[in-house]
């Protein structure tokens, strides 16, 4: 039994499952209220898509300020500060007001004039059709390689197949979200996507051909791989060439070796040039002379210190000697005074007593000193 031409609507029939902020901006947009209100037929809307749509984002470039907003006010979930809604989403909602039939929707998917007409047709399916029917709609176009620049202002070119795979596996689409897919249906879609890999998937890299050491000398294998991938070196290597490599001109390994030798020779000449040798020898001699002068300077400084210490000691000796002589003279004079005073005191105290031996010695010493003093005066 052929499917009915009437398309079912899944989800909220009043909002088309669009984000409330986007829907409010669409309904209040002058472009939607004035320009699109005049379009009454399906073909007029398709012509408007052909002339007005240049990307598939919900907002025009630079019209939405989301800097500094976080959480539910951020731009990821599409519920923050609004902007200028894009003509693509205005025309998408205009298609929804026309209540497209299955035949009209298939006409959008296969339209040959503009990839944006096809893109809005697939987006209409993603927003309005039941999740269990998405694989049936998208599966024939998963390998479609027609390119579409989906970003406002350009810079993100994707194929139709890449867009459909992303819409089946992710909810995020720039600054908005697609309707959620039930978990069982989502798991089934992931399994089907793995079973249907993209045709342009990265193939495993071919391993580079190993050149035996006995066929080439040291260092040539790397040089050949850099310059020509090992083409045209010897008979053993040429026998393993592919048909495509035979068409390319052979790489002259002899010239490459000569160039490398000449480059190494120039480097050696530069390193051992006389100016550099002179400069290097001068710097070495300077360094050696400086290192030799260091102990000499240290020895000279030590000799200076020693000479200063000796001079200080020599100057301090006569001063100390003079001080000791002065101290001795002063001590002698004081002892003389004591000697002169002691007999007088003892004589005054002990006039009636007998003279002791100590007193006799003191008296003799006093007389001797007096005699010496009288002789010195004479």
């Amino acid at each position: 039994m052929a499917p009915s031409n009437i398309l079912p609507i899944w989800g909220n029939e009043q909002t088309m499952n669009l984000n409330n902020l986007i829907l409010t901006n669409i309904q209040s947009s002058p472009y939607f209220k004035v320009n699109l209100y005049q379009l009454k037929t399906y073909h007029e809307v398709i012509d408007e898509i052909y002339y007005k749509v240049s990307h598939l984002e919900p907002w025009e470039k630079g019209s939405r300020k989301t800097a500094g907003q976080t959480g539910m006010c951020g731009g990821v979930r599409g519920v923050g500060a609004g902007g200028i809604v894009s003509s693509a989403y205005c025309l998408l909602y205009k298609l929804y007001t026309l209540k497209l039939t299955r035949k009209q929707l298939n006409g959008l998917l296969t339209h040959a004039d503009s990839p944006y007409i096809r893109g809005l047709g697939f987006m209409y399916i993603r927003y309005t059709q039941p999740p269990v029917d998405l694989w049936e709609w998208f599966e024939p176009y998963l390998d479609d390689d027609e390119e579409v620049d989906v970003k406002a202002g350009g810079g993100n070119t994707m194929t139709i197949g890449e867009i459909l795979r992303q819409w089946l596996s992710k909810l995020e689409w720039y600054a908005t979200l697609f309707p959620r897919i039930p978990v069982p249906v989502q798991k089934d879609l992931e399994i089907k996507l793995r079973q249907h890999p993209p045709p342009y998937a990265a193939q495993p890299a071919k391993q580079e051909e190993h050149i035996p050491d006995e066929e080439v000398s040291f260092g040539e294998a790397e040089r050949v791989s850099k310059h020509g991938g090992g083409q045209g070196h010897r008979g053993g290597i040429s026998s393993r060439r592919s048909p495509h490599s035979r068409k390319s001109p052979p790489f002259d390994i002899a010239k490459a070796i000569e160039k490398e030798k000449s480059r190494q020779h120039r480097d050696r000449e530069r390193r051992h040039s006389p100016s550099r040798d002179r400069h290097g020898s001068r710097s070495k001699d300077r360094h050696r002379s400086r290192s030799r002068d260091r102990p000499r300077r240290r020895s000279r400084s030590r000799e200076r210190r020693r000479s200063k210490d000796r001079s200080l000691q020599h100057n301090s000796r006569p001063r100390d000697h003079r001080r000791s002589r002065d101290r001795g003279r002063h001590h002698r004079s004081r002892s003389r005074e004591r000697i002169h005073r002691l007999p007088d005191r003892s004589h005054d105290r002990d006039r009636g007593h007998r003279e002791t031996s100590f007193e006799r010695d003191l008296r003799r010493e006093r007389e001797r000193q007096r005699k010496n003093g009288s002789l010195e005066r004479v």
Side-chain angles (χ1 to χ4, degrees):
M1 182 177 179
S4 175
N5 197 31
I6 300 173
L7 286 174
I9 301 298
W10 180 79
N12 193 334
E13 296 184 1
Q14 295 180 353
T15 63
M16 190 190 157
N17 300 316
L18 289 171
N19 180 270
N20 291 330
L21 183 63
I22 295 176
L23 181 62
T24 303
N25 280 269
I26 291 173
Q27 292 174 348
S28 62
S29 171
Y31 176 69
F32 179 78
K33 292 190 296 184
V34 178
N35 298 73
L36 297 185
Y37 180 76
Q38 300 174 0
L39 305 179
K40 303 297 182 183
T41 64
Y42 164 77
H43 295 286
E44 289 177 346
V45 176
I46 289 179
D47 292 339
E48 186 72 11
I49 294 171
Y50 180 82
Y51 289 110
K52 298 296 182 181
V53 177
S54 59
H55 62 87
L56 297 179
E57 279 196 48
W59 305 100
E60 293 295 341
K61 181 182 179 181
S63 64
R64 194 155 182 265
K65 306 298 182 183
T66 59
Q69 298 179 0
T70 58
M72 294 298 292
C73 295
V76 175
R77 303 190 65 84
V79 293
I84 300 174
V85 69
S86 65
S87 58
Y89 268 71
C90 289
L91 287 164
L92 178 65
Y93 190 70
K94 180 64 178 180
L95 289 173
Y96 180 71
T97 60
L98 297 178
K99 303 298 179 183
L100 297 180
T101 63
R102 186 178 295 272
K103 182 179 179 180
Q104 290 174 338
L105 186 55
N106 282 320
L108 290 175
L109 302 182
T110 58
H111 207 284
D113 291 346
S114 173
Y116 296 104
I117 298 174
R118 301 182 65 194
L120 287 182
F122 289 116
M123 192 175 290
Y124 185 91
I125 295 172
R126 184 64 181 84
Y127 273 108
T128 62
Q129 296 305 297
V132 293
D133 297 338
L134 293 179
W135 181 258
E136 183 181 353
W137 281 103
F138 288 173
E139 193 270 335
Y141 305 97
L142 291 178
D143 298 336
D144 197 317
D145 58 353
E146 186 175 7
E147 294 183 347
V148 185
D149 196 347
V150 298
K151 186 177 180 180
N156 188 12
T157 302
M158 302 174 66
T159 63
I160 296 292
E162 291 175 346
I163 295 172
L164 298 183
R165 289 176 185 275
Q166 181 173 341
W167 289 356
L168 288 174
S169 58
K170 296 181 181 180
L171 297 179
E172 294 82 4
W173 179 249
Y174 287 95
T176 188
L177 292 174
F178 285 122
R180 293 188 178 276
I181 300 175
V183 175
V185 178
Q186 184 66 52
K187 291 181 179 179
D188 184 57
L189 290 175
E190 292 176 357
I191 293 172
K192 291 179 179 178
L193 286 174
R194 285 196 295 267
Q195 295 175 353
H196 194 285
Y200 45 85
Q203 299 294 333
K206 295 182 179 180
Q207 296 182 354
E208 295 184 359
E209 187 177 6
H210 175 68
I211 303 175
D213 294 338
E214 60 270 10
E215 294 185 6
V216 292
S217 61
F218 178 76
E220 290 182 359
E222 182 180 359
R223 197 177 299 113
V224 170
S225 63
K226 288 182 179 179
H227 291 283
Q231 297 177 5
H233 176 56
R234 293 189 181 181
I237 302 174
S238 62
S239 62
R240 292 191 295 269
R241 293 179 189 168
S242 62
H244 178 71
S245 63
R246 290 173 184 170
K247 296 179 182 179
S248 61
F251 176 77
D252 194 355
I253 189 64
K255 291 183 179 179
I257 293 172
E258 291 295 332
K259 289 181 180 179
E260 182 66 20
K261 288 182 179 179
S262 61
R263 185 184 65 80
Q264 293 179 359
H265 183 66
R266 288 195 299 270
D267 293 342
R268 291 173 184 172
E269 290 180 351
R270 291 175 184 173
R271 292 173 185 172
H272 300 287
S273 59
S275 61
R276 294 191 178 183
D277 292 342
R278 291 173 184 173
H279 181 71
S281 61
R282 288 176 183 175
S283 61
K284 290 180 180 178
D285 295 338
R286 289 175 184 174
H287 180 70
R288 290 175 182 174
S289 61
R290 289 176 183 174
S291 62
R292 290 177 181 174
D293 292 339
R294 287 176 184 172
R296 293 180 182 176
R297 293 175 183 174
R298 293 177 183 173
S299 61
R300 289 176 183 174
S301 60
R302 290 177 182 174
E303 291 176 358
R304 290 174 184 174
R305 292 175 185 173
R306 291 177 181 174
S307 61
K308 288 182 181 179
D309 294 339
R310 290 174 183 172
S311 61
L312 291 174
Q313 290 177 2
H314 180 71
N315 295 330
S316 61
R317 282 179 181 177
R319 292 180 183 176
D320 297 338
H321 184 64
R322 291 170 187 172
R323 289 176 184 174
S324 61
R325 291 178 65 185
D326 296 337
R327 288 176 184 174
R329 290 176 182 176
H330 182 68
H331 180 69
R332 289 175 183 174
S333 62
R334 290 180 68 182
S335 63
R336 288 177 183 176
E337 291 176 358
R338 288 176 183 175
I339 292 169
H340 287 293
R341 289 175 185 175
L342 285 173
D344 295 337
R345 291 178 184 176
S346 62
H347 181 71
D348 294 336
R349 286 183 295 182
D350 303 329
R351 279 182 181 177
H353 295 281
R354 185 180 173 179
E355 187 179 23
T356 61
S357 61
F358 178 74
E359 290 175 351
R360 186 173 57 252
D361 295 335
L362 289 177
R363 182 175 55 78
R364 290 176 181 176
E365 180 66 19
R366 182 172 59 82
E367 290 175 354
R368 186 180 62 79
Q369 289 179 1
R370 284 180 182 178
K371 290 178 181 180
N372 294 332
S374 61
L375 292 173
E376 288 177 0
R377 289 174 185 176
V378 174

